Amino acid sequence: EREMKMKRSIAVAAIVAGILLLGAWGLSSGHGGSHKGQGYGPWGQRGLVSFFIEHQGELGLAGEQVAALESIREAFGAETAPLNEELRRAYQELGGLMREDQIDVVAAGEKMEQIATLRAQWGKRFVEAIAGGKRVLTSEQLQKAREIRSQK
């Protein structure tokens, strides 16, 4: 039984270490708020709203469309800023738990669940922003955006 507990502790530690590495990578890639409002996804990828704004000339966007897209991007930044801060704090707390000589597996698991919930909330807002951005463009503009993206 002691050997089984040891194996389970090692497995949990390996999983938590992997999550910490992914979290640190995500924070360094833009998730931690350093690109606030600029359309970065949870792992640093650019959002379509920012892509549309950057390619407004090629897409033939009207001024009202650009203003609507900028409003969506700014709202997304404002909505996700608190989540970014909560995620940063949760990752730091998880890191602190992992640095302990005797890891509290229950507390680490709870912290990982909190992080997963926050990332899901962030992702939902990301999807909502992209959906809102797509509603601003015409079907022709969306087709042109797909063509531009496929060339990259």
Side-chain angles (χ1 to χ4, degrees):
E1 182 167 326
R2 181 168 159 71
E3 184 177 327
M4 191 65 156
K5 283 184 179 180
M6 181 66 89
K7 286 181 181 179
R8 190 175 334 159
S9 294
I10 290 170
V12 169
I15 291 168
V16 172
I19 289 172
L20 284 174
L21 288 172
L22 284 173
W25 177 69
L27 289 170
S28 68
S29 309
H31 186 50
S34 61
H35 302 287
K36 183 168 50 176
Q38 295 182 9
Y40 280 85
W43 297 279
Q45 78 268 22
R46 297 287 295 179
L48 279 178
V49 174
S50 291
F51 177 85
F52 295 156
I53 293 169
E54 290 166 5
H55 295 276
Q56 59 186 279
E58 295 168 82
L59 296 172
L61 300 183
E64 300 82 30
Q65 287 177 299
V66 174
L69 291 168
E70 288 174 343
S71 177
I72 290 167
R73 184 169 67 179
E74 288 171 19
F76 171 77
E79 291 172 3
T80 57
L83 290 173
N84 288 338
E85 181 56 31
E86 284 184 66
L87 275 164
R88 185 193 60 75
R89 200 171 26 253
Y91 277 120
Q92 285 179 337
E93 291 169 5
L94 181 58
L97 289 169
M98 294 304 297
R99 285 188 291 276
E100 295 293 325
D101 290 341
Q102 297 297 317
I103 296 172
D104 183 340
V105 176
V106 172
E110 289 170 354
K111 190 57 60 179
M112 289 171 20
E113 288 175 15
Q114 178 191 6
I115 289 168
T117 298
L118 291 168
R119 288 179 69 101
Q121 291 170 357
W122 195 102
K124 181 179 179 199
R125 284 174 180 77
F126 187 68
V127 169
E128 290 168 349
I130 291 171
K134 284 186 168 188
R135 285 192 295 271
V136 171
L137 275 65
T138 66
S139 58
E140 293 81 14
Q141 290 168 328
L142 288 168
Q143 178 58 40
K144 180 67 176 171
R146 278 191 290 277
E147 292 168 10
I148 294 168
R149 286 178 65 94
S150 70
Q151 294 170 2
K152 302 224 175 233

